[in-house]
Structures are given as structure tokens and as C-alpha cells.
Amino acid sequence: MTQKAKKALALEIIERLKQEYPDAGCTLDYDQAWKLLVSVRLAAQCTDARVNVVVEGLYEKYPSVAALAAADVNDIEEIVRPCGLGKSKARDISACMKILHEEYEDKVPDDFDALLKLPGVGRKSANLIMGDVFGKPAIVTDTHCIRLVNRMGLVDGIKEPKKVEMELWKIIPPEEGSDFCHRLVYHGRDVCTARTKPHCDQCCLEDICKKKM
């Protein structure tokens, strides 16, 4: 498929998913930027639903960046262990909060490269923060996104997150990227599922999806 054809397909998919999931947003609960930073680290190999439960206890005990930065890493680990990989996640969260406290006056930087330098923050997390917190162009290539854009024909057999992101930047309007990726999460859970056969008969993209053509 030509780049022009992929752009046209992308725009059609974006519009249809908007109709299907008008209110799609981040499925991690947060009311401050630093909390999203914590949650997205905990969400690695863990469901967002479980993260949302676990962080309640974490914020009850450590309600601010300063409090979490001063916390004993073993105490953090004890609380976040149900999310899996407790030791490495606790270490990253502790180190990240220390940097925010010492270098950024307890604020999350709104610069992509600065975010990438924070412990435990990769491109996926940085894009999520940029899009959801700061309203800047962002494309979050999580597992749903990578699986679905390959299935739909927007990328051709690419599985590496950064490469998928770079391909999507070429065809997705910058202002649509963040919401588009959130809608892919909903669509991937409800319709275009991974663990069962996709429910193509219920899909709003059935007639334009590469998998069906």
C-alpha cells in the first residue's frame, strides 16, 4: 500500500473509532502528572485495573512527590508488589521521584527528551505523559496499538515499538495521535481481541481492515 493510501486509510479508521469510542481516554486513574508517571511504570506487564487499585494504598501513605522521594524503597516495594516486578519498579519510582523533587521542584517536565532521562521512563511512557498531561502530539505504541495497526494494514509486519511509532507519525495527524491510541486500547479489548478470535462481525472497521480483505 502506498503512503498516500495508508494516510487515507488512517483518517477513515480515526473517524470510525471516534464514532465508536467518543469518550476514550487513559485507563490509568490519576489527578496529577506525577501520579501518571508512577502508574505507567507499574503498568508494565500488569493490568491498568490492578494498578488503579494498588496506587490507592501508595498515595495514601505517600501523598506527594516529596513524600515518595523520601520513602524507603523497601516500603514502596511492599506496596507495589501485587503489580509484579516489585523490586525494579520500586527502585525506578523512588529514583524518579527523587529527581523530580531535587531537579524539577516536584513537577513533571513537559519535554520529551527530559522525560526519557527519568528512571523507568521509555518512549511509550513519555508519549503518554506528553499527550495526556500536556496535550502535545503523542503516539503511544503499546501492545494493543502494535497488534491492531499491523492487522489493519497501517504498518507492515513491524513489531518493534519505536519503529511502529515512527511509521505512524508519517500517516497519523499529530493532533489525533494520543486519542487514536487510547481508542485502539478500547477496540483491542472489546472487539479486536488477542486471546480469542477477533469479533470481526461486530467491528466498525470490518469492510476496510486489511485482515478481512
Side-chain angles (χ1 to χ4, degrees):
M1 195 187 300
T2 66
Q3 200 80 330
K4 188 177 178 183
K6 281 185 181 178
K7 268 189 179 178
L9 177 61
L11 289 175
E12 181 62 26
I13 289 172
I14 286 168
E15 287 309 310
R16 292 194 189 189
L17 291 179
K18 273 185 188 178
Q19 298 291 322
E20 200 74 10
Y21 311 99
D23 303 317
C26 183
T27 48
L28 291 166
D29 296 338
Y30 70 98
D31 55 9
Q32 296 177 69
W34 67 271
K35 291 183 178 179
L36 181 56
L37 205 51
V38 169
S39 288
V40 77
R41 179 65 188 98
L42 292 177
Q45 297 178 43
C46 180
T47 65
D48 290 358
R50 174 170 288 184
V51 171
N52 289 337
V53 172
V54 169
V55 292
E56 286 182 14
L58 185 66
Y59 302 147
E60 194 175 321
K61 191 168 184 182
Y62 305 111
S64 66
V65 170
L68 204 45
D72 186 297
V73 71
N74 293 318
D75 291 341
I76 298 173
E77 182 187 346
E78 190 64 35
I79 297 170
V80 304
R81 188 176 289 131
C83 293
L85 307 173
K87 195 173 285 296
S88 62
K89 289 180 179 180
R91 188 180 60 235
D92 284 343
I93 288 167
S94 177
C96 186
M97 294 301 115
K98 280 181 167 67
I99 292 172
L100 293 189
H101 184 59
E102 293 164 10
E103 298 181 25
Y104 293 103
E105 299 178 338
D106 294 359
K107 303 283 195 304
V108 175
D110 64 351
D111 176 80
F112 189 79
D113 292 327
L115 286 169
L116 284 181
K117 290 175 184 171
L118 295 173
V121 177
R123 296 188 67 86
K124 182 176 80 170
S125 304
N127 269 302
L128 184 67
I129 299 285
M130 292 299 283
D132 275 48
V133 174
F134 300 114
K136 296 189 176 183
I139 289 177
V140 181
T141 49
D142 63 7
T143 52
H144 287 293
C145 173
I146 293 168
R147 184 168 56 81
L148 267 62
V149 295
N150 272 284
R151 232 175 212 175
M152 295 167 178
L154 295 180
V155 301
D156 304 313
I158 305 171
K159 299 296 165 69
E160 205 268 297
K162 184 177 178 181
K163 288 181 181 175
V164 172
E165 181 193 330
M166 293 305 131
E167 286 302 303
L168 291 178
W169 278 119
K170 298 174 187 174
I171 59 174
I172 304 289
E175 70 279 5
E176 298 285 0
S178 183
D179 287 343
F180 171 65
C181 293
H182 285 321
R183 291 186 175 105
L184 288 180
V185 172
Y186 282 77
H187 195 63
R189 287 177 182 170
D190 296 346
V191 180
C192 200
T193 50
R195 291 185 180 150
T196 63
K197 193 176 176 186
H199 307 296
C200 296
D201 56 322
Q202 301 169 25
C203 182
C204 62
L205 307 172
E206 183 184 17
D207 60 315
I208 57 171
C209 179
K210 176 187 161 193
K211 185 177 185 295
K212 293 292 290 180
M213 295 169 88

